[in-house]
Amino acid sequence: MIRAIGFLIVLAGLSALSVWFADNPGQVSLVWQGYVIETSAAVLVMGIVMIAIAAAVLYRLWVALKQAPGKIARNRRDAKTRRGYQALTRGIVAVAAGDAVEAKAQAGRADGLLREPPLTMLLSAQAAQLDGDEAAAETFFTEMLDRPDMEFLGLRGLLGQAVKRNDQTAALKLVRRASRLQPKSDWVTRTLFDQEARAGNWAKADAALNSALANKMLPEAEAVGHKAVLALLQSVDAEKDGNPVEAMKLAKLAHGEDTSLVPAACQYSRLLTGMGKRSKASGVIETTWARQPHPDLAAAYWHTKDEEDALARMKHAETLAAKNSGDDASRLLLAGAAIEAGLWGVARENLDDLPVTQAQCRLMAALCEGEKDDKAAHEWLVRAAIAEPDATWVCSDCGNLTDAWSALCGKCGNFNSFDWQRPSSIPGIAAPQHETVPLLGADTVIDGDGPEQ
Ligand SMILES: [Zn+2]
């Protein structure tokens, strides 16, 4: 619209100029080299304008001819780049579709057409991985390490490979380097925590966990559970290193972070008992029994009481069971203590309507034996062999079962993955398999030899 108005204004101006020249033709006389040219002023102006236009056209033509070779080369380069990006896009789509042959072909094409190693090397590595050629992928990822703009990508690729082949030493080295490059990366911090924990570097794992927490990369509840376990493990190490003050401080921290963590309560209670603080030690066990009753807690509780008299132990059992009276474990605890004290009626009262499990059957057998009914005792022992298994530590990631809690699963290596539960409640788990790495020494795991086991 604005251009149309401008054109009309120019047209009007030219018309006015033409009219003015028509009204004032004037006379121009030019003498040059013996020639005389006589004409009107309008014709002279017209002539000058025509010469200017012709000069402008010739100049443009000259410039165009001069620039032609460069332009042709640029156009060819642009077309090559376009084809390169097309190949790159097709390669990425092929990787996403899982088409290894196409991905590899397009990666090679893109590599030849583009001068963009950050893009084509990654595609080439992914295509090689898709093709199952881990060695070629590793070569590409390693080459990336030499380029500052691609170092992180290379590290990520190599780390993925190291984790896949379960090479913990390489994985830890790579993730530490990646963490120096991208300390705020969610993925890097989580992997760093995981690898430090798998390597048993509790303090470094704790530092990574704190970083993840500060950057809100982990749910608070999950982080608190991990922190409690890490504090417990550091307490055990401090105790082994002959530093009881630090061991006590860390055990208290572990119990404070997660009062349902059975091994932390056992460690803290044991250290307190060792210092003669028996009442406080009992309190620790009672707190945890209220949240997570466990045979190890009962054993630790007897340790805090140091009581030989069976009737006195029954009283203590009642105190502990009252902290979680609705749980079957409390009833088993009472039944076991009652059998020891010869209180058959109390024992039967607690056992009668409990689910038939191995522990319940064994206690029923002990009760019948106490009542001098050997036949019934034998029957209960037979039933115990085929009854529902009792709760045990179950790895929530791989289903590995173990009697003694461990920070790392001996089967999948995952950190803090054990839950206390009945194996029969987990689909696909039929027979117990015991594979664990005892990270807590035998002196620090209090065996579940309480009355209910
Ligand atoms: Zn596992």
Side-chain angles (χ1 to χ4, degrees), residues 109-127:
R109 223 176 136 223
D111 195 37
L113 291 167
L114 290 174
R115 291 286 173 265
E116 296 274 1
L119 300 174
T120 54
M121 280 176 92
L122 182 62
L123 177 61
S124 300
Q126 285 183 325

Side-chain angles (χ1 to χ4, degrees), residues 161-245:
Q161 288 187 312
V163 169
K164 207 166 148 188
R165 63 174 186 267
N166 207 17
D167 183 348
Q168 287 189 14
T169 311
L172 186 58
K173 215 168 132 190
L174 289 162
V175 73
R176 281 179 179 168
R177 186 166 161 187
S179 173
R180 282 195 292 277
L181 288 179
Q182 300 273 353
K184 296 223 164 138
S185 156
D186 186 328
W187 162 80
V188 169
T189 310
R190 279 170 170 271
T191 312
L192 180 65
F193 163 69
D194 187 48
Q195 292 300 328
E196 294 288 11
R198 280 168 182 265
N201 301 325
W202 313 132
K204 283 181 177 159
D206 198 28
L209 189 62
N210 285 336
S211 170
L213 256 179
N215 292 301
K216 301 197 186 324
M217 294 168 186
L218 269 183
E220 185 93 15
E222 188 185 337
V224 163
H226 290 337
K227 277 195 80 65
V229 171
L230 287 170
L232 162 66
L233 296 163
Q234 289 177 86
S235 165
V236 172
D237 284 351
E239 193 187 2
K240 277 182 191 159
D241 293 343
N243 192 345
V245 177

Side-chain angles (χ1 to χ4, degrees), residues 5 41 50 70 81 184 199 202 244 263 266-267 269 283 313 335 350 362 387 419 430 451:
I5 291 168
M50 295 294 282
T81 307
K184 296 223 164 138
W202 313 132
C266 290
Q267 165 82 350
S269 160
R313 278 165 74 101
N350 280 291
R362 281 197 298 270
D419 294 323

Side-chain angles (χ1 to χ4, degrees), residues 52-87:
I53 290 170
V57 168
L58 281 173
Y59 175 73
R60 292 289 292 270
L61 200 65
W62 177 72
V63 168
L65 281 172
K66 200 180 157 200
Q67 289 179 344
K71 221 168 180 175
I72 290 167
R74 199 159 52 243
N75 283 345
R76 286 175 71 176
R77 262 202 317 275
D78 288 351
K80 196 176 164 190
T81 307
R82 250 194 326 274
R83 288 203 308 279
Y85 277 110
Q86 252 172 20

Side-chain angles (χ1 to χ4, degrees), residues 394-400 408-414 417-418 435:
V394 182
C395 174
S396 55
D397 294 321
C398 73
N400 184 25
L408 295 175
C409 173
K411 197 171 174 191
C412 70
N414 285 353
S417 59
F418 282 112
E435 288 184 46

